[in-house]
């Protein structure tokens, strides 16, 4: 059984910063990609940023230059540093990991989500 546990969401004023963390636990053999997606009310879930095992990253155009993603492989943890936040960044942020366990090859796993609210 794999669990992704997120933390760090909350309420912040426009222009402020937040840092999200997500730790994967369970019978993990290896982690391929870790990343963050978000879903605003009435909208589809969208990619925010991902980081691959080798360190390559991808960002949504809307967050480039404002958000940074990093991971600590020893801790199975991914971080999302969000700066210069805008009201349109308000959403539930979901951690995602593609990983292999002792029984599953490259399964796709999700966290429970953490709310980020940016006030204007």
């Amino acid at each position: 059984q794999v669990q992704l546990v997120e933390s760090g969401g909350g309420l912040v004023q426009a222009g402020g910063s937040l840092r999200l963390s997500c730790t994967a636990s369970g019978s993990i053999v290896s982690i391929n990609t870790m990343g963050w997606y978000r879903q605003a009310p009435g909208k589809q879930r969208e990619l925010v940023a991902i980081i691959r095992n080798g360190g390559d990253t991808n960002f949504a155009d809307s967050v480039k230059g404002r958000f940074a993603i990093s991971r600590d492989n020893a801790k199975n943890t991914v971080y999302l540093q969000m700066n210069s936040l805008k009201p349109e960044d308000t959403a539930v942020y979901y951690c995602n990991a593609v990983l292999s366990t002792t029984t599953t090859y490259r399964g796709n796993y999700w966290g429970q989500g953490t709310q980020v609210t940016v006030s204007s």
Side-chain angles (χ1 to χ4, degrees):
Q1 182 122 4
V2 173
Q3 280 192 317
L4 301 182
V5 179
E6 301 134 333
S7 62
L11 173 64
V12 64
Q13 287 189 330
S17 298
L18 283 174
R19 188 191 195 209
L20 305 183
S21 301
C22 170
T23 298
S25 63
S27 304
I28 298 170
V29 173
S30 63
I31 300 179
N32 186 10
T33 63
M34 299 190 81
W36 295 90
Y37 290 70
R38 67 186 181 187
Q39 188 167 18
K43 295 188 176 181
Q44 289 190 330
R45 190 174 297 189
E46 63 176 2
L47 171 70
V48 177
I50 59 170
I51 182 167
R52 298 176 183 81
N53 197 23
D56 294 341
T57 59
N58 282 100
F59 293 90
D61 288 343
S62 59
V63 306
K64 283 180 181 177
R66 301 188 297 121
F67 290 12
I69 188 169
S70 60
R71 64 191 275 181
D72 184 334
N73 291 329
K75 296 181 179 179
N76 290 342
T77 298
V78 63
Y79 306 96
L80 184 69
Q81 178 66 44
M82 304 185 292
N83 300 324
S84 302
L85 282 160
K86 304 176 181 179
E88 50 263 44
D89 294 317
T90 295
V92 178
Y93 284 69
Y94 295 91
C95 177
N96 174 267
V98 176
L99 56 85
S100 298
T101 69
T102 53
T103 58
T104 303
Y105 178 71
R106 292 196 177 181
N108 194 32
Y109 298 88
W110 294 93
Q112 79 283 359
T114 185
Q115 178 70 45
V116 171
T117 302
V118 184
S119 63
S120 56

